[in-house]
Amino acid sequence: MTDPVPNPRPLSRRTMLRSLMVAAAVVPLAACSGKEDALTAQANSGDGKNYIAGDGAVEEYEVSKRSEPVAIKATTYHGTDIDFTQWQGKPVVMNFWYAACAPCRIEAPDLKKIAEEFGEKVEFIGINVRDEAEAAKAFERTFDIPYESVQDTDGAIQLAMTKYVPLQAVPSTLVLDRKGRVRARVIGAVEPGTLKSLISTALTEEL
């Protein structure tokens, strides 16, 4: 790989993320039923872009408008059985990713740091949408990820969560409240300050 051409003006982190998202490979989109939000509409527009220009946009949901608790059971790449219903009582962070996703690699150190900072107060789980175990574990070793991930190459979890995360929108992050309901979503690489604020609110809000 050749060295990058020097740039007299350093790129902002936001500009880097947008550029990398354009270059990142993506999974072909499966059609979603039901009412479309702006990002889902962009994915289904048929304009040939083959990616969603997620820019870290955040949407939070009022308590009265949250859906039923997420009820997912799965097994991680390391053989750990997980049950989201057993995590009720603390917030849960779901991060959708895959190893070759450039923005996923950019946000990985921030996710690691935040997961370590909150420790046992919050559950983190990765939802890997493309990789077999070898590639996923190599990513985890490279970035020293302190939490485990579930393989979702069959799309079961993605389909269950398409109300919040369009299938092409990777990376995306969901924050569940202490009752297991989705309280916030971030489409695109998450800013560390934003995620910390969402988690802190989920820890203290009245339900």
Side-chain angles (χ1 to χ4, degrees):
M1 181 178 296
T2 58
D3 293 331
V5 177
N7 191 328
R9 296 182 61 186
L11 295 175
S12 68
R13 187 169 188 261
R14 180 74 63 190
T15 301
M16 291 175 61
L17 286 172
R18 291 191 182 195
S19 298
L20 287 168
M21 279 186 177
V22 174
V26 295
V27 182
L29 179 70
C32 302
S33 60
K35 185 178 179 180
E36 294 180 335
D37 62 16
L39 285 162
T40 306
Q42 183 187 153
N44 290 335
S45 64
D47 57 11
K49 287 192 301 186
N50 291 325
Y51 70 95
I52 288 181
D55 59 359
V58 179
E59 184 168 359
E60 297 185 75
Y61 304 94
E62 297 177 6
V63 173
S64 62
K65 296 181 180 179
R66 295 175 195 171
S67 62
E68 294 298 312
V70 175
I72 293 174
K73 294 181 180 180
T75 301
T76 71
Y77 286 107
H78 298 274
T80 303
D81 293 326
I82 62 167
D83 182 346
F84 276 53
T85 62
Q86 295 180 353
W87 289 343
Q88 291 185 20
K90 63 175 69 175
V92 177
V93 175
M94 299 174 65
N95 178 252
F96 292 77
W97 68 282
Y98 62 92
C101 162
C104 301
R105 302 179 75 85
I106 288 176
E107 73 176 1
D110 293 327
L111 292 171
K112 163 186 161 58
K113 183 176 180 180
I114 294 170
E116 292 175 339
E117 180 177 335
F118 282 97
E120 295 183 358
K121 296 179 182 178
V122 179
E123 294 289 346
F124 276 69
I125 186 70
I127 310 298
N128 186 295
V129 303
R130 298 188 76 174
D131 299 321
E132 299 298 328
E134 183 177 351
K137 289 181 178 180
F139 181 99
E140 292 173 347
R141 290 193 299 269
T142 297
F143 293 99
D144 194 23
I145 302 298
Y147 53 88
E148 297 186 33
S149 286
V150 170
Q151 182 176 357
D152 191 44
T153 51
D154 64 359
I157 296 176
Q158 292 175 275
L159 288 172
M161 305 306 295
T162 49
K163 178 178 179 180
Y164 302 101
V165 180
L167 295 185
Q168 277 183 306
V170 179
S172 289
T173 300
L174 299 179
V175 178
L176 311 188
D177 67 19
R178 299 191 311 278
K179 290 187 176 181
R181 303 169 300 186
V182 177
R183 78 163 309 278
R185 74 170 186 180
V186 182
I187 302 295
V190 64
E191 293 287 347
T194 297
L195 182 56
K196 290 173 66 174
S197 177
L198 293 174
I199 294 172
S200 296
T201 301
L203 281 167
T204 59
E205 69 179 346
E206 294 184 7
L207 299 176

